[in-house]
Amino acid sequence: MPSSPGPHVTNASHPFLPLLGPLRYACQRDFAQLATVKQLRAVVEAAASAGERAGVPAKWVAALRAELPQVDLPSQEARKASLVRLLQVLREVGVPVPAGLPVPLPPSPSSAPEKAAGGSPRGPIRRKPSDGDHRSEARLLSIAPREGPLSRPLSELKGRMNPRLLAALEKKGVRRVGDVLFLLPRTYEDRRQLKKIRDLVPGERGVTVAVVRSAGETLARGRRRMFRAVLGDETGSIAATYFQAGPWLKGRFPVGKRLIVSGELRATPTGREMAHPEVEPLEDDEVSSLHFGRVVPIYPGFERHEQRSYRQLAARVVEGYAHLLEEPLPEDLRRRHGLLGLPEAIRRIHFPSDADALEDLEQHASDAHQRLAYDELFFLQLGMQLRRVGVKTEPGIAFEVSPARLARARAVLPFQLTRAQDRVVAQVAADMGRPDPMHRLIQGDVGSGKTAVAFAAAMLAMQDGYQVALMAPTEILAEQHLKNAERILGSHGITAGLISASGTAKEKRERRAAVASGKTRLAIGTHALIEGDTEFEALGLVIIDEQHRFGVIQRHALMSKGLRPDVLVMTATPIPRTLAMTLYGDLEVSVIDELPPGRTPIQTRVFSERQRARVYELIVAELRSGHQAYVVYPLVEESEKVDLADATRGVEQVSRAFPDHRVGLLHGRMTAAEKDAVMAEFRDGKIHVLVCTTVVEVGVDVPNASVMVIEHAERFGLSQLHQLRGRVGRGAAKSHCLLVSAQGRSEEAVERLSVMEKSSDGFVIAEKDLELRGPGEFLGTRQSGMPELAVANLARDVALLDLAQGEARAVVIADPKLELPAHRGLRKALEDRWEGRLALARVG
């Protein structure tokens, strides 16, 4: 059970909580970003001091401070071990550490048959987790074959298979010969350099040759038996420890035997030791083998002591089966781009040649990795291009888009369109006038006027007698769209209605009946729009706002409400080009790259907690000028309870700071009616300062608001900060975005906030956000409906993605059904990779 954090501390507000963000960033994806994380010592010290002040038990404060010498060491291995121990402290005190981050192994027992010599211990350093502990989960590449000789069960392999290994592989989903080929190493270890024992460094991995001096079983704490051997050379000695015992271990360590030993050295109170090292007999000074004298693969999902046996299995399978792999890419394509053949790439990715640089291997940038990354991106793009072709061949609705109709649609809008809006309206109208279904994405920065374009498209559809569905990700945004629709379209005889989860059962039935009868021409809602009991009389156009927040299946469900309706998807979150190519490769893309007139630039500044007085001075100056302000608190760990607690404490603090002004509160746990009432008062100027959570990220438009204060800004992603900043600057007054961040923020957080200060371009910010956080973090949720990428990296492989998209497009233009003999391999491989998901071909 987690320890109590202290008499006045809740887990939601725990003083150690600010550590979670930097640690999660540094440790995720198997420490992929660790090299970019600097100056963690200040963050840890700040958390320890905050814990001390808040009454956190002294042992936990001491545990943090014990890591201060370790967290910024040059040795990456030592840093990893320290960060894992810090994560464990957070778990112990009840901070909600996400699943999937590394956990440590049990500490080494203190009892031992013989003290190892070779250097004075530095004190107890708990073991860095084995590869099995900070391992990324075992995940098969999406191209593992599902039929043919490679689908043969592992249990049928010739020769004896270790039953324990078979059982472990079964749990990981590795059941067939081909699965072994496509479970790729997550990293590599250079075992070409043998060190003397005195040259081994605690906290780092090393390989040495040593003689067994003693070996035997001993009792650990809790009366558990363990095995310990003392190994030495002419420069010193170390211990090899195993947290289990058995005669097989005694047989591996005969006294006097010379062994090659590989593992991570650690300093303990009883001397220096390696826990669960890999060992191999040294025969006739021959050091070259599968496990030593070379760069060896380290696989995901396996404990350190399991690596050796799995590596042996991988070698058997690679040697005996890699040549049976069918090459899916046409030979001329591979020749054009200098790509390895698939069998050769698989061989070299498991067991690299001397020509493969260790740095390239570790960064997954070797020739073998590039071949597999290209394979993933090419088949992803091929599927996207076929989706696009599939959409275009289906019968849809050819709306009338004559100049007169288009003029009437534009005339509905109570303002002049910008040139960019006008261009996009023309593109949308051209799509709607064709008989094949429209699939178009509109990208635009915050405040660029996408909604106006959507309403113009809606008017074109409704003039032709069809209904329109507008789907928004949140109820507050759906309500905002409804208000705008009633204001802009109501005077033209258009009836708009809200379909949402709120309201009485009778109200919801009546709203749905109005949609089914055709009385409601524009149905606006959230997920309630896709529920089975919502029917349309004649759905002709689907508009999906905030596209990346919906999964493919949800979009498909909404589109199935009509007979091949046109689809217009919008995102207020600028999406980097590589991500747009991947997520929306089957959509035509329009970009609104111009802001409406009257928008003033927003000045963005970063403040520390100690500079709060200056922040309040700026707010007071704006309030005295008759303007209004937002103060936003973060949504921590996606928990509405935390969201409410933070905002509630915030409103008390802000109310004390501005006693002469009315302060309001808006958060996600309020009912729709309560949120509406608060927003109405804020729009009317009755509330001067609105303390809120990220519910204001989209859909709130108050031109008189000129200040956006974002508390704990270091906890937000760049794109979300940009979205929040876009809530101000909507009137003629100069506006300010004030980012308040905690002391001791990480270097990555400093870089993020610096980007916000320097740039107001949402697309520049989105590219940087993708670079810093990776595609999964950038999107917030895992996208469904497409193959996952196991090797390719969208932030890194931009050039490769361009090549893949160009080749995929050329293939589909030349052979839309992949019927040519040269493309038969492509068709089979495509079906394997997409696993039937191309059936969702007409989903945006």
mmCIF file of all heavy atoms in Angstrom, residues 750-784:
data_model
loop_
_atom_site.group_PDB
_atom_site.id
_atom_site.type_symbol
_atom_site.label_atom_id
_atom_site.label_comp_id
_atom_site.label_asym_id
_atom_site.label_seq_id
_atom_site.Cartn_x
_atom_site.Cartn_y
_atom_site.Cartn_z
ATOM 1 N N VAL A 750 11.760 24.171 -20.279
ATOM 2 C CA VAL A 750 12.281 25.509 -20.594
ATOM 3 C C VAL A 750 12.252 25.735 -22.102
ATOM 4 O O VAL A 750 11.846 26.794 -22.587
ATOM 5 C CB VAL A 750 13.721 25.665 -20.051
ATOM 6 C CG1 VAL A 750 14.349 26.953 -20.572
ATOM 7 C CG2 VAL A 750 13.718 25.664 -18.530
ATOM 8 N N GLU A 751 12.657 24.706 -22.852
ATOM 9 C CA GLU A 751 12.676 24.827 -24.316
ATOM 10 C C GLU A 751 11.264 25.018 -24.856
ATOM 11 O O GLU A 751 11.025 25.838 -25.741
ATOM 12 C CB GLU A 751 13.307 23.570 -24.925
ATOM 13 C CG GLU A 751 13.454 23.651 -26.433
ATOM 14 C CD GLU A 751 14.122 22.417 -27.031
ATOM 15 O OE1 GLU A 751 14.423 21.479 -26.267
ATOM 16 O OE2 GLU A 751 14.320 22.400 -28.252
ATOM 17 N N ARG A 752 10.298 24.255 -24.290
ATOM 18 C CA ARG A 752 8.913 24.368 -24.758
ATOM 19 C C ARG A 752 8.385 25.780 -24.537
ATOM 20 O O ARG A 752 7.775 26.384 -25.422
ATOM 21 C CB ARG A 752 8.033 23.367 -24.002
ATOM 22 C CG ARG A 752 7.594 22.208 -24.859
ATOM 23 C CD ARG A 752 6.592 21.344 -24.141
ATOM 24 N NE ARG A 752 7.190 20.721 -22.982
ATOM 25 C CZ ARG A 752 6.599 20.617 -21.808
ATOM 26 N NH1 ARG A 752 5.409 21.128 -21.620
ATOM 27 N NH2 ARG A 752 7.201 20.019 -20.807
ATOM 28 N N LEU A 753 8.581 26.304 -23.330
ATOM 29 C CA LEU A 753 8.050 27.624 -23.010
ATOM 30 C C LEU A 753 8.750 28.707 -23.836
ATOM 31 O O LEU A 753 8.142 29.717 -24.204
ATOM 32 C CB LEU A 753 8.188 27.888 -21.512
ATOM 33 C CG LEU A 753 7.440 26.894 -20.609
ATOM 34 C CD1 LEU A 753 7.598 27.272 -19.142
ATOM 35 C CD2 LEU A 753 5.965 26.825 -20.970
ATOM 36 N N SER A 754 10.033 28.469 -24.123
ATOM 37 C CA SER A 754 10.761 29.429 -24.957
ATOM 38 C C SER A 754 10.173 29.483 -26.373
ATOM 39 O O SER A 754 10.071 30.548 -26.978
ATOM 40 C CB SER A 754 12.240 29.038 -25.018
ATOM 41 O OG SER A 754 12.937 29.861 -25.910
ATOM 42 N N VAL A 755 9.763 28.339 -26.894
ATOM 43 C CA VAL A 755 9.122 28.305 -28.217
ATOM 44 C C VAL A 755 7.854 29.147 -28.196
ATOM 45 O O VAL A 755 7.562 29.887 -29.139
ATOM 46 C CB VAL A 755 8.803 26.847 -28.628
ATOM 47 C CG1 VAL A 755 7.941 26.808 -29.894
ATOM 48 C CG2 VAL A 755 10.089 26.056 -28.855
ATOM 49 N N MET A 756 7.085 29.037 -27.117
ATOM 50 C CA MET A 756 5.845 29.817 -27.009
ATOM 51 C C MET A 756 6.131 31.316 -27.005
ATOM 52 O O MET A 756 5.385 32.103 -27.595
ATOM 53 C CB MET A 756 5.083 29.426 -25.739
ATOM 54 C CG MET A 756 4.427 28.078 -25.787
ATOM 55 S SD MET A 756 3.098 28.003 -27.019
ATOM 56 C CE MET A 756 1.959 29.198 -26.344
ATOM 57 N N GLU A 757 7.208 31.721 -26.342
ATOM 58 C CA GLU A 757 7.551 33.144 -26.297
ATOM 59 C C GLU A 757 7.937 33.676 -27.675
ATOM 60 O O GLU A 757 7.621 34.800 -28.036
ATOM 61 C CB GLU A 757 8.728 33.360 -25.335
ATOM 62 C CG GLU A 757 8.327 33.506 -23.890
ATOM 63 C CD GLU A 757 9.495 33.973 -23.036
ATOM 64 O OE1 GLU A 757 10.544 33.302 -23.041
ATOM 65 O OE2 GLU A 757 9.355 35.005 -22.363
ATOM 66 N N LYS A 758 8.620 32.816 -28.453
ATOM 67 C CA LYS A 758 9.206 33.283 -29.709
ATOM 68 C C LYS A 758 8.258 33.185 -30.898
ATOM 69 O O LYS A 758 8.421 33.910 -31.876
ATOM 70 C CB LYS A 758 10.476 32.480 -30.017
ATOM 71 C CG LYS A 758 11.603 32.723 -29.028
ATOM 72 C CD LYS A 758 12.768 31.764 -29.283
ATOM 73 C CE LYS A 758 13.871 31.949 -28.266
ATOM 74 N NZ LYS A 758 14.929 30.906 -28.410
ATOM 75 N N SER A 759 7.291 32.249 -30.866
ATOM 76 C CA SER A 759 6.479 32.005 -32.063
ATOM 77 C C SER A 759 4.986 32.048 -31.760
ATOM 78 O O SER A 759 4.535 31.581 -30.718
ATOM 79 C CB SER A 759 6.820 30.638 -32.659
ATOM 80 O OG SER A 759 6.019 30.383 -33.800
ATOM 81 N N SER A 760 4.252 32.608 -32.713
ATOM 82 C CA SER A 760 2.783 32.571 -32.614
ATOM 83 C C SER A 760 2.198 31.757 -33.752
ATOM 84 O O SER A 760 0.983 31.702 -33.922
ATOM 85 C CB SER A 760 2.223 34.001 -32.656
ATOM 86 O OG SER A 760 2.612 34.635 -33.872
ATOM 87 N N ASP A 761 3.057 31.106 -34.536
ATOM 88 C CA ASP A 761 2.628 30.300 -35.682
ATOM 89 C C ASP A 761 2.317 28.885 -35.209
ATOM 90 O O ASP A 761 3.201 28.144 -34.781
ATOM 91 C CB ASP A 761 3.741 30.287 -36.739
ATOM 92 C CG ASP A 761 3.310 29.577 -38.031
ATOM 93 O OD1 ASP A 761 2.547 28.590 -37.943
ATOM 94 O OD2 ASP A 761 3.737 30.001 -39.105
ATOM 95 N N GLY A 762 1.053 28.505 -35.281
ATOM 96 C CA GLY A 762 0.634 27.194 -34.781
ATOM 97 C C GLY A 762 1.306 26.036 -35.475
ATOM 98 O O GLY A 762 1.548 24.986 -34.863
ATOM 99 N N PHE A 763 1.655 26.190 -36.755
ATOM 100 C CA PHE A 763 2.283 25.085 -37.479
ATOM 101 C C PHE A 763 3.746 24.915 -37.054
ATOM 102 O O PHE A 763 4.232 23.796 -36.921
ATOM 103 C CB PHE A 763 2.175 25.318 -38.990
ATOM 104 C CG PHE A 763 0.769 25.147 -39.485
ATOM 105 C CD1 PHE A 763 -0.086 26.226 -39.611
ATOM 106 C CD2 PHE A 763 0.268 23.886 -39.790
ATOM 107 C CE1 PHE A 763 -1.392 26.073 -40.036
ATOM 108 C CE2 PHE A 763 -1.029 23.721 -40.228
ATOM 109 C CZ PHE A 763 -1.873 24.814 -40.347
ATOM 110 N N VAL A 764 4.445 26.011 -36.807
ATOM 111 C CA VAL A 764 5.812 25.938 -36.282
ATOM 112 C C VAL A 764 5.793 25.272 -34.910
ATOM 113 O O VAL A 764 6.610 24.401 -34.596
ATOM 114 C CB VAL A 764 6.430 27.355 -36.188
ATOM 115 C CG1 VAL A 764 7.756 27.314 -35.429
ATOM 116 C CG2 VAL A 764 6.614 27.946 -37.570
ATOM 117 N N ILE A 765 4.835 25.667 -34.085
ATOM 118 C CA ILE A 765 4.718 25.120 -32.734
ATOM 119 C C ILE A 765 4.393 23.627 -32.786
ATOM 120 O O ILE A 765 4.944 22.827 -32.027
ATOM 121 C CB ILE A 765 3.652 25.916 -31.948
ATOM 122 C CG1 ILE A 765 4.213 27.297 -31.596
ATOM 123 C CG2 ILE A 765 3.211 25.173 -30.698
ATOM 124 C CD1 ILE A 765 3.194 28.272 -31.081
ATOM 125 N N ALA A 766 3.515 23.245 -33.705
ATOM 126 C CA ALA A 766 3.139 21.831 -33.807
ATOM 127 C C ALA A 766 4.326 20.965 -34.215
ATOM 128 O O ALA A 766 4.507 19.856 -33.700
ATOM 129 C CB ALA A 766 1.995 21.673 -34.810
ATOM 130 N N GLU A 767 5.151 21.443 -35.144
ATOM 131 C CA GLU A 767 6.339 20.681 -35.552
ATOM 132 C C GLU A 767 7.272 20.481 -34.361
ATOM 133 O O GLU A 767 7.836 19.402 -34.151
ATOM 134 C CB GLU A 767 7.080 21.409 -36.683
ATOM 135 C CG GLU A 767 6.348 21.437 -38.016
ATOM 136 C CD GLU A 767 6.391 20.104 -38.751
ATOM 137 O OE1 GLU A 767 7.057 19.162 -38.277
ATOM 138 O OE2 GLU A 767 5.736 20.002 -39.807
ATOM 139 N N LYS A 768 7.462 21.515 -33.570
ATOM 140 C CA LYS A 768 8.335 21.419 -32.400
ATOM 141 C C LYS A 768 7.731 20.482 -31.362
ATOM 142 O O LYS A 768 8.436 19.698 -30.723
ATOM 143 C CB LYS A 768 8.547 22.812 -31.795
ATOM 144 C CG LYS A 768 9.635 22.852 -30.732
ATOM 145 C CD LYS A 768 10.996 22.556 -31.341
ATOM 146 C CE LYS A 768 12.107 22.606 -30.314
ATOM 147 N NZ LYS A 768 13.427 22.258 -30.884
ATOM 148 N N ASP A 769 6.425 20.527 -31.215
ATOM 149 C CA ASP A 769 5.732 19.658 -30.262
ATOM 150 C C ASP A 769 5.912 18.195 -30.646
ATOM 151 O O ASP A 769 6.161 17.332 -29.808
ATOM 152 C CB ASP A 769 4.245 20.024 -30.232
ATOM 153 C CG ASP A 769 3.587 19.663 -28.903
ATOM 154 O OD1 ASP A 769 4.314 19.383 -27.932
ATOM 155 O OD2 ASP A 769 2.346 19.676 -28.841
ATOM 156 N N LEU A 770 5.793 17.916 -31.941
ATOM 157 C CA LEU A 770 5.996 16.538 -32.416
ATOM 158 C C LEU A 770 7.426 16.090 -32.150
ATOM 159 O O LEU A 770 7.675 14.969 -31.707
ATOM 160 C CB LEU A 770 5.685 16.453 -33.907
ATOM 161 C CG LEU A 770 5.963 15.097 -34.568
ATOM 162 C CD1 LEU A 770 5.045 14.024 -33.996
ATOM 163 C CD2 LEU A 770 5.777 15.179 -36.071
ATOM 164 N N GLU A 771 8.374 16.990 -32.388
ATOM 165 C CA GLU A 771 9.782 16.657 -32.169
ATOM 166 C C GLU A 771 10.050 16.345 -30.698
ATOM 167 O O GLU A 771 10.777 15.404 -30.367
ATOM 168 C CB GLU A 771 10.644 17.843 -32.618
ATOM 169 C CG GLU A 771 12.132 17.675 -32.374
ATOM 170 C CD GLU A 771 12.888 18.969 -32.655
ATOM 171 O OE1 GLU A 771 12.481 19.704 -33.583
ATOM 172 O OE2 GLU A 771 13.857 19.249 -31.949
ATOM 173 N N LEU A 772 9.443 17.121 -29.801
ATOM 174 C CA LEU A 772 9.709 16.957 -28.374
ATOM 175 C C LEU A 772 8.969 15.778 -27.760
ATOM 176 O O LEU A 772 9.487 15.092 -26.891
ATOM 177 C CB LEU A 772 9.322 18.241 -27.609
ATOM 178 C CG LEU A 772 10.204 19.464 -27.853
ATOM 179 C CD1 LEU A 772 9.606 20.674 -27.169
ATOM 180 C CD2 LEU A 772 11.612 19.212 -27.341
ATOM 181 N N ARG A 773 7.743 15.535 -28.214
ATOM 182 C CA ARG A 773 6.909 14.546 -27.523
ATOM 183 C C ARG A 773 6.669 13.268 -28.291
ATOM 184 O O ARG A 773 6.246 12.271 -27.711
ATOM 185 C CB ARG A 773 5.549 15.171 -27.164
ATOM 186 C CG ARG A 773 5.657 16.287 -26.151
ATOM 187 C CD ARG A 773 4.316 16.561 -25.523
ATOM 188 N NE ARG A 773 3.352 17.120 -26.473
ATOM 189 C CZ ARG A 773 2.030 17.077 -26.294
ATOM 190 N NH1 ARG A 773 1.523 16.463 -25.259
ATOM 191 N NH2 ARG A 773 1.223 17.629 -27.176
ATOM 192 N N GLY A 774 6.918 13.269 -29.602
ATOM 193 C CA GLY A 774 6.625 12.073 -30.385
ATOM 194 C C GLY A 774 5.157 12.038 -30.773
ATOM 195 O O GLY A 774 4.307 12.698 -30.158
ATOM 196 N N PRO A 775 4.796 11.257 -31.800
ATOM 197 C CA PRO A 775 3.426 11.283 -32.329
ATOM 198 C C PRO A 775 2.367 10.803 -31.353
ATOM 199 O O PRO A 775 1.288 11.361 -31.279
ATOM 200 C CB PRO A 775 3.501 10.376 -33.565
ATOM 201 C CG PRO A 775 4.749 9.585 -33.405
ATOM 202 C CD PRO A 775 5.700 10.428 -32.610
ATOM 203 N N GLY A 776 2.676 9.765 -30.575
ATOM 204 C CA GLY A 776 1.664 9.257 -29.642
ATOM 205 C C GLY A 776 1.301 10.273 -28.587
ATOM 206 O O GLY A 776 0.133 10.523 -28.294
ATOM 207 N N GLU A 777 2.317 10.906 -27.983
ATOM 208 C CA GLU A 777 2.073 11.931 -26.980
ATOM 209 C C GLU A 777 1.406 13.145 -27.607
ATOM 210 O O GLU A 777 0.554 13.783 -27.014
ATOM 211 C CB GLU A 777 3.411 12.355 -26.359
ATOM 212 C CG GLU A 777 4.036 11.314 -25.478
ATOM 213 C CD GLU A 777 3.489 11.366 -24.072
ATOM 214 O OE1 GLU A 777 3.291 12.460 -23.550
ATOM 215 O OE2 GLU A 777 3.231 10.304 -23.508
ATOM 216 N N PHE A 778 1.833 13.488 -28.823
ATOM 217 C CA PHE A 778 1.281 14.672 -29.495
ATOM 218 C C PHE A 778 -0.221 14.522 -29.662
ATOM 219 O O PHE A 778 -0.998 15.440 -29.417
ATOM 220 C CB PHE A 778 1.953 14.847 -30.857
ATOM 221 C CG PHE A 778 1.429 16.024 -31.646
ATOM 222 C CD1 PHE A 778 2.044 17.254 -31.552
ATOM 223 C CD2 PHE A 778 0.328 15.896 -32.479
ATOM 224 C CE1 PHE A 778 1.568 18.338 -32.274
ATOM 225 C CE2 PHE A 778 -0.156 16.969 -33.197
ATOM 226 C CZ PHE A 778 0.472 18.195 -33.094
ATOM 227 N N LEU A 779 -0.663 13.341 -30.080
ATOM 228 C CA LEU A 779 -2.085 13.139 -30.348
ATOM 229 C C LEU A 779 -2.893 13.019 -29.071
ATOM 230 O O LEU A 779 -4.094 13.248 -29.054
ATOM 231 C CB LEU A 779 -2.283 11.877 -31.194
ATOM 232 C CG LEU A 779 -1.818 12.020 -32.642
ATOM 233 C CD1 LEU A 779 -1.787 10.667 -33.305
ATOM 234 C CD2 LEU A 779 -2.720 12.961 -33.398
ATOM 235 N N GLY A 780 -2.238 12.640 -27.986
ATOM 236 C CA GLY A 780 -2.973 12.498 -26.737
ATOM 237 C C GLY A 780 -3.584 11.133 -26.578
ATOM 238 O O GLY A 780 -3.592 10.571 -25.507
ATOM 239 N N THR A 781 -4.130 10.553 -27.630
ATOM 240 C CA THR A 781 -4.698 9.209 -27.571
ATOM 241 C C THR A 781 -4.225 8.430 -28.775
ATOM 242 O O THR A 781 -3.853 8.991 -29.790
ATOM 243 C CB THR A 781 -6.241 9.250 -27.601
ATOM 244 O OG1 THR A 781 -6.640 9.929 -28.791
ATOM 245 C CG2 THR A 781 -6.803 9.961 -26.397
ATOM 246 N N ARG A 782 -4.186 7.109 -28.641
ATOM 247 C CA ARG A 782 -3.716 6.282 -29.741
ATOM 248 C C ARG A 782 -4.752 6.285 -30.857
ATOM 249 O O ARG A 782 -5.923 6.065 -30.617
ATOM 250 C CB ARG A 782 -3.502 4.856 -29.236
ATOM 251 C CG ARG A 782 -2.606 4.044 -30.139
ATOM 252 C CD ARG A 782 -2.318 2.709 -29.520
ATOM 253 N NE ARG A 782 -2.994 1.658 -30.241
ATOM 254 C CZ ARG A 782 -3.288 0.490 -29.734
ATOM 255 N NH1 ARG A 782 -3.001 0.228 -28.495
ATOM 256 N NH2 ARG A 782 -3.886 -0.423 -30.440
ATOM 257 N N GLN A 783 -4.319 6.548 -32.058
ATOM 258 C CA GLN A 783 -5.235 6.530 -33.192
ATOM 259 C C GLN A 783 -5.552 5.094 -33.573
ATOM 260 O O GLN A 783 -4.696 4.227 -33.519
ATOM 261 C CB GLN A 783 -4.599 7.236 -34.393
ATOM 262 C CG GLN A 783 -4.484 8.730 -34.202
ATOM 263 C CD GLN A 783 -5.826 9.402 -34.230
ATOM 264 O OE1 GLN A 783 -6.603 9.236 -35.143
ATOM 265 N NE2 GLN A 783 -6.134 10.174 -33.209
ATOM 266 N N SER A 784 -6.779 4.844 -33.955
ATOM 267 C CA SER A 784 -7.153 3.504 -34.378
ATOM 268 C C SER A 784 -7.407 3.511 -35.877
ATOM 269 O O SER A 784 -7.544 4.543 -36.495
ATOM 270 C CB SER A 784 -8.423 3.067 -33.645
ATOM 271 O OG SER A 784 -9.468 3.972 -33.921
#
